[in-house]
Amino acid sequence: MKTVFVRQDRCVGCRHCEIACAVEHSESKDLFQVFTEEKPSHPRIHVESVDNYLSFPNRCRHCDPAPCMQVCPTRALSRDEATGSVLVSYTRCIQCSVCAMACPFGIITFQQVRQLESDREVNAKCDNCIGRLSENRIPACAEACKTGALEFGDVNDLIKETRADLTMRLIRSQGSDIQGPAMPDNIRAYKAVMETIANL
């Protein structure tokens, strides 16, 4: 199963993923036109920050089984068998918010979407960039991430990479405190500056 794997330690809160997501789901798919469209496109990934410098890109995990699918009374949510993505039928969504209450990650938001003629707000969760996947392209958020905080690939391969990194750090620690996850120097320096600013 392929997914977008989040490496929180590498997120610097730049929000490029949010912008790329909004552009990808816009009518024009153009950065400069997206803000002037009749129904503005909003991101479906949400970068949350705490303590002014620690950030986390929160997005749909396309759970299986998916609590949102299980509780939807109109069956507006379904799974794409080819990709495993949980998708929303906007015409079936009745904005009851039960899916949002069931979501363990709090990522479901309601907004207007260009696919509906009405101004009704519906569940506009991450669709895993299903159109891009059908073209053998990776989701827009992962493509836009320049720090490696969002990586798209086979979940077991990505976990294996993380496990190998942890194993190496355990061996190198030789019984002392384990070093944090491997982080590029530029990201570490940026986070140190942001921590200093946050503590002023």
Side-chain angles (χ1 to χ4, degrees), residues 154-173:
D154 182 86
V155 67
N156 285 325
D157 290 344
L158 296 168
I159 291 170
K160 183 178 179 182
E161 183 181 319
T162 301
R163 187 170 51 239
D165 177 58
L166 174 63
T167 302
M168 185 62 69
R169 286 185 284 120
L170 279 170
I171 291 171
R172 288 182 177 164
S173 71

Side-chain angles (χ1 to χ4, degrees), residues 71-190:
V71 299
C72 180
T74 63
R75 298 184 182 219
L77 292 137
S78 62
R79 186 174 306 280
D80 178 73
E81 295 302 325
T83 63
S85 304
V86 176
L87 305 176
V88 180
S89 169
Y90 301 131
T91 55
R92 287 188 173 191
C93 178
I94 58 172
Q95 200 182 14
C96 65
S97 304
V98 175
C99 54
M101 295 175 209
C103 176
F105 303 103
I107 55 83
I108 294 175
T109 56
F110 291 81
Q111 58 186 290
Q112 294 177 358
V113 294
R114 63 183 172 81
Q115 291 88 348
L116 285 181
E117 289 185 14
S118 75
D119 290 338
R120 197 165 56 89
E121 293 184 333
V122 293
N123 176 345
K125 64 175 275 311
C126 166
D127 61 0
N128 231 359
C129 288
I130 191 80
R132 293 174 63 99
L133 292 182
S134 69
E135 299 167 355
N136 291 320
R137 298 167 62 201
I138 67 174
C141 58
E143 183 178 86
C145 182
K146 302 307 179 200
T147 64
L150 299 171
E151 286 187 275
F152 183 74
D154 182 86
V155 67
N156 285 325
D157 290 344
L158 296 168
I159 291 170
K160 183 178 179 182
E161 183 181 319
T162 301
R163 187 170 51 239
D165 177 58
L166 174 63
T167 302
M168 185 62 69
R169 286 185 284 120
L170 279 170
I171 291 171
R172 288 182 177 164
S173 71
Q174 296 182 341
S176 61
D177 290 340
I178 302 172
Q179 295 178 351
M183 184 184 306
D185 291 340
N186 59 340
I187 297 174
R188 188 180 309 280
Y190 178 83

